[in-house]
Amino acid sequence: MRMSKTQPADVKPLMAIGICTRDRHELLHRCLISLKNTTLPKRYRTELIIVENAETLSIESIIEELDLTMPVHLAAEPKIGYSSVRNRVLDMADEMGADILLGVDDDEEVCENWVIAYEAASELLPDCDVMMGPTNLRYANGDEPSSIVQSAGHWIERTQPLKRAFGQRPYVPATMNYALRKAVFSKQSGLGLRFDERFNKIGSEDTAFFFILENLYGGKLGWVPEARAFEDRLGKRDTLKFISERNARNQAAYFSIVLAHQKTQKTLPVALSEIRQTTLKHAFYAFYHFIAAALYALDQPQRAKKLFGTSVCHFKCLGAVTAAFKWRQL
């Protein structure tokens, strides 16, 4: 389904922008407003792809209300799951002949120069198959994310993405804010890489995607610090329980991916060595922060709470080893 205005035909290459969404109309609306206000590139024509993970579309009214200036392609993906809906975006971008696909989550907003930052990076980083930008977190009470003393309810240290220089490999590759070249997703002129649908329910499909791209195909990833997106970290997403469980789940998924990949490469000892080293680091930091929390408990109780929360996160990740072997069939 195609909506909005049709741009004049020209010979410019296509830069598609892809968004996956499910039952988050208000957040999608905010995301699209930010895209409407972004500066469009001069060397590319732009078209927007929105795939709703549902049996039928329910977001047409949002698109009509915003009256976006770029052509919009809508689709419903009935198979529920992270990988299925992302793959539908890749398929549509491929069918449209996109040279570059930009992606952002539906619960994020992008800065005004988001698109042109990736446009510039595509020229300055010709060897990078994937480019990624930071997703800065915004908190409910406006506290500085890096501050130690915050409201009494917080048991975790609020952080922001680690700073990376332009062109460096992203510290944690993910699909929150990215740009893919067609060499990655095109089935005719590239690898035709897709997200593994075995991760549909558990998540971490992006971890598997980029792990395979780098380790099997030698793909290169580059950081674009100016391509900034923003996400509100509110409610349960700003709690120790949510963050510690998500970290443990992601760690388990990564371990399972390493096991599966190394098994195919007949280097299982390498995989086991990496898992062992990572687990030992989690154990060290769990006990380190626990002891530090005890030392600060009387003099600086707020800092002690943050340290204890960090300890809990590392303790949770220790269980990732068991979970990884449960998922080894992945």
Side-chain angles (χ1 to χ4, degrees), residues 72-290:
V72 181
H73 304 262
L74 299 180
E77 172 52 53
K79 187 173 182 179
I80 303 301
Y82 301 105
S83 297
S84 296
V85 68
R86 294 193 189 282
N87 285 339
R88 186 67 178 275
V89 170
L90 295 181
D91 290 341
M92 292 177 67
D94 192 9
E95 293 167 2
M96 291 162 54
D99 283 75
I100 296 179
L101 170 65
L102 274 56
V104 65
D105 284 349
D106 64 348
D107 60 347
E108 298 178 9
E109 299 167 61
V110 299
C111 66
E112 186 176 346
N113 66 336
W114 183 69
V115 176
I116 60 174
Y118 278 128
E119 177 191 25
S122 68
E123 300 293 326
L124 296 172
L125 300 174
D127 295 331
C128 285
D129 304 291
V130 181
M131 294 156 283
M132 297 179 182
T135 297
N136 295 106
L137 304 177
R138 300 182 300 204
Y139 295 96
N141 61 2
D143 285 344
E144 287 296 322
S146 60
S147 64
I148 296 293
V149 179
Q150 297 179 16
S151 63
H154 294 294
W155 288 81
I156 50 176
E157 187 64 38
R158 287 169 161 178
T159 60
Q160 293 289 8
L162 294 175
K163 292 183 179 180
R164 311 290 285 173
F166 180 79
Q168 280 190 317
R169 180 188 180 277
Y171 184 70
V172 180
T175 50
M176 295 184 295
N177 175 7
Y178 69 92
L180 299 179
R181 295 187 190 273
K182 67 178 181 180
V184 176
F185 64 83
S186 174
K187 292 185 176 180
Q188 291 189 345
S189 58
L191 297 173
L193 199 60
R194 294 295 183 269
F195 293 91
D196 191 334
E197 292 193 1
R198 289 175 292 182
F199 290 90
N200 255 344
K201 302 301 181 183
I202 61 177
S204 296
E205 75 291 342
D206 49 355
T207 301
F209 183 92
F210 294 118
F211 183 94
I212 291 171
L213 176 63
E214 288 188 286
N215 290 277
L216 286 186
Y217 299 107
K220 295 185 178 180
L221 283 60
W223 189 245
V224 185
E226 294 303 315
R228 291 172 293 117
F230 305 91
E231 176 188 330
D232 290 337
R233 185 59 59 86
L234 306 172
K236 71 174 185 178
R237 295 170 65 89
D238 191 26
T239 63
L240 176 58
K241 183 178 186 295
F242 178 88
I243 293 175
S244 62
E245 290 179 353
R246 184 184 61 180
N247 289 350
R249 185 170 60 251
N250 289 343
Q251 184 68 86
Y254 178 76
F255 283 166
S256 69
I257 294 162
V258 170
L259 284 170
H261 168 69
Q262 298 295 358
K263 184 177 180 180
T264 62
Q265 300 300 303
K266 298 182 180 180
T267 53
L268 186 59
V270 176
L272 294 176
S273 176
E274 180 178 351
I275 291 173
R276 182 176 62 253
Q277 292 178 19
T278 303
T279 301
L280 288 174
K281 287 181 181 178
H282 282 304
F284 171 80
Y285 285 117
F287 284 104
Y288 173 85
H289 286 93
F290 181 80

Side-chain angles (χ1 to χ4, degrees), residues 156 240 243-244 247 282 308-317:
I156 50 176
L240 176 58
I243 293 175
S244 62
N247 289 350
H282 282 304
F308 178 77
T310 303
S311 175
V312 169
C313 287
H314 286 290
F315 270 119
K316 283 274 190 179
C317 285

